[in-house]
């Protein structure tokens, strides 16, 4: 029997590292980047740190005065779904499991980091990373947002790769294995 410990260490370690990095960077942003909306150049005009609070969701979507609670509720649901996906992944012994567990840990940590912000501050989620060129700027974001995005992309890549590998094994490799094992092939 394969132990769950390495998978648990990877998932919870990744999630905890994201939560800690997110919280520390947000506290530093709130301390050093005042007043709000004043850009601090980091790499020319391409990367700036600009303190902003987002009471809504991604891309500043808002549902009015209840945004904090509604999007907080969505975050709790996302955490439950991510945790269930992690639990269904298994012990991390199959090809692709570690990649999937890492992706889920990143997304879980990011979702938890932004949920903690919604709980601790009625102003909303602290955003401060400001990327763009001159007046063309991306939405201001934070470490948690980055972790969710990287986790989602990594998870999609991992799942598509697993699907391609499974399809390949059902193709020529799978048919040859069926002939050698005596099991009926796809033409049966």
């Amino acid at each position: 029997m394969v132990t769950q410990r390495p998978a648990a260490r990877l998932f919870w370690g990744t999630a905890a590292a994201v939560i800690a990095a997110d919280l520390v960077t947000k506290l530093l942003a709130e301390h050093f980047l005042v007043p709000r909306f004043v850009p601090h150049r980091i790499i020319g005009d391409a990367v700036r740190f600009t303190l902003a609070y987002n009471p809504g969701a991604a891309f500043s979507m808002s549902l009015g005065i209840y945004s904090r609670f509604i999007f907080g509720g969505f975050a709790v649901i996302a955490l439950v779904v991510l945790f269930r996906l992690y639990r269904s992944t298994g012990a991390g012994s199959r090809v692709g499991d570690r990649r999937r567990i890492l992706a889920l840990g990143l997304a879980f940590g990011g979702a938890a980091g932004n949920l903690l912000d919604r709980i601790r501050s009625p102003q909303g989620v602290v955003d401060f990373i400001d990327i763009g060129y001159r007046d063309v700027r991306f939405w201001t974001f934070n470490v948690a947002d980055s972790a969710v995005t990287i986790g989602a992309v990594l998870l999609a890549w991992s799942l598509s790769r697993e699907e391609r590998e499974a399809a390949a094994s059902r193709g020529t490799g799978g048919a040859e294995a069926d002939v050698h094992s005596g099991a009926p092939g796809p033409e049966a």
Side-chain angles (χ1 to χ4, degrees):
M1 182 171 143
V2 178
T3 178
Q4 287 274 83
R5 287 190 184 149
R9 275 195 301 269
L10 179 60
F11 178 80
W12 292 113
T14 301
V18 169
I19 293 167
D22 183 59
L23 181 60
V24 167
T25 56
K26 286 175 177 174
L27 291 173
L28 289 170
E30 288 182 302
H31 182 75
F32 290 109
L33 300 178
V34 290
R36 286 193 228 182
F37 308 117
V38 175
H40 302 265
R41 291 174 182 230
I42 303 301
I43 302 174
D45 199 42
V47 179
R48 308 182 310 196
F49 286 170
T50 306
L51 178 62
Y53 292 91
N54 181 358
F59 313 120
S60 297
M61 291 187 321
S62 178
L63 298 174
I65 61 172
Y66 299 109
S67 289
R68 177 180 180 200
F69 304 106
I70 292 169
F71 292 123
F74 286 149
V76 170
I77 292 167
L79 290 171
V80 170
V81 169
L82 291 165
F83 179 73
R84 291 182 60 120
L85 286 170
Y86 154 68
R87 295 291 292 164
S88 70
T89 296
S93 59
R94 295 176 303 201
V95 174
D97 280 358
R98 291 186 54 78
R99 213 175 17 248
R100 190 172 339 116
I101 292 167
L102 175 65
L104 292 169
L106 285 166
F108 188 95
N114 280 340
L115 176 61
L116 289 174
D117 250 16
R118 291 186 192 290
I119 293 168
R120 75 179 185 92
S121 174
Q123 295 179 84
V125 174
V126 175
D127 288 329
F128 63 93
I129 303 170
D130 176 10
I131 295 177
Y133 180 72
R134 294 187 182 164
D135 290 338
V136 179
R137 315 295 307 168
F138 190 73
W139 293 274
T140 306
F141 59 98
N142 57 46
V143 171
D145 298 334
S146 299
V148 168
T149 302
I150 292 166
V153 169
L154 182 59
L155 182 61
W157 176 67
S158 176
L159 293 175
S160 71
R161 189 170 169 182
E162 290 171 28
E163 180 60 32
R164 280 193 312 269
E165 290 169 359
S169 71
R170 287 190 303 264
T172 57
E176 290 171 5
D178 290 340
V179 169
H180 295 298
S181 68
E187 63 280 339

